[in-house]
Amino acid sequence: MDRITQAQDAVDELGDIMRKSLLYLSTKSGFAQSNASIPVTVSLSTVDTAEVLAENRELLVDELVTKAKQLKILIASLPDPVMIDVSDDQLAALSTEAEQVNADFDGALRECGKPDVLITRKRLIGMQNKSSASWRMCSSG
């Protein structure tokens, strides 16, 4: 398994640990009155004792910290991003080539008699162009 996949899996596991920790703490700890004028109106029947809760809380914290440290090591071991030096002329040529390929594909769809696929494809391309244009505005600014 490559490092980026390991890092993604570690992030997923970290989120899962956090979710399970919150679930445990919200279902197994009792409600304490923090203000004398606001009474506790809900009581849980499955509350753990203070000792068990403290023990389990320590285990949850240890597991969370261990996974966070593993993720930190994985992130540190990822290779540096590769910067590709591409000129505006090369980008324009690639864009022209992509437009030609798209036009050829649209022609093939018309010949096959698939107008519904062609319409859906044009909508997707329009959505993609809008999102890439907004991305370009954000990244250039």
Side-chain angles (χ1 to χ4, degrees):
M1 186 180 321
D2 65 337
R3 289 183 190 145
I4 192 77
T5 304
Q6 288 176 337
Q8 288 171 336
D9 289 347
V11 168
D12 289 343
E13 290 171 11
L14 189 63
D16 198 41
I17 291 168
M18 292 170 74
R19 182 186 61 80
K20 288 178 181 177
S21 297
L22 289 172
L23 179 65
Y24 173 78
L25 292 172
S26 65
T27 58
K28 296 295 183 177
S29 63
F31 295 103
Q33 190 168 0
S34 59
N35 188 333
S37 63
I38 302 172
V40 175
T41 59
V42 177
S43 64
L44 300 173
S45 61
T46 60
V47 175
D48 283 347
T49 63
E51 297 82 30
V52 171
L53 187 64
E55 219 175 273
N56 287 336
R57 193 172 40 231
E58 284 298 316
L59 289 172
L60 292 170
V61 169
D62 288 344
E63 188 177 4
L64 190 63
V65 169
T66 301
K67 186 53 73 176
K69 286 179 181 180
Q70 288 174 353
L71 180 58
K72 185 176 181 179
I73 291 168
L74 280 169
I75 289 172
S77 70
L78 289 173
D80 290 334
V82 178
M83 300 305 290
I84 301 173
D85 197 18
V86 179
S87 70
D88 289 339
D89 294 335
Q90 289 172 318
L91 287 176
L94 287 172
S95 179
T96 304
E97 183 182 350
E99 288 172 7
Q100 181 59 44
V101 168
N102 283 330
D104 292 346
F105 186 69
D106 291 346
L109 286 175
R110 276 191 211 93
E111 286 178 25
C112 291
K114 301 281 186 185
D116 54 334
V117 175
L118 183 62
I119 291 168
T120 303
R121 181 174 145 60
K122 287 191 182 276
R123 284 184 186 152
L124 289 173
I125 289 172
M127 288 171 35
Q128 181 184 21
N129 289 342
K130 285 180 187 175
S131 71
S132 65
S134 63
W135 180 82
R136 275 188 247 118
M137 286 190 301
C138 291
S139 64
S140 64

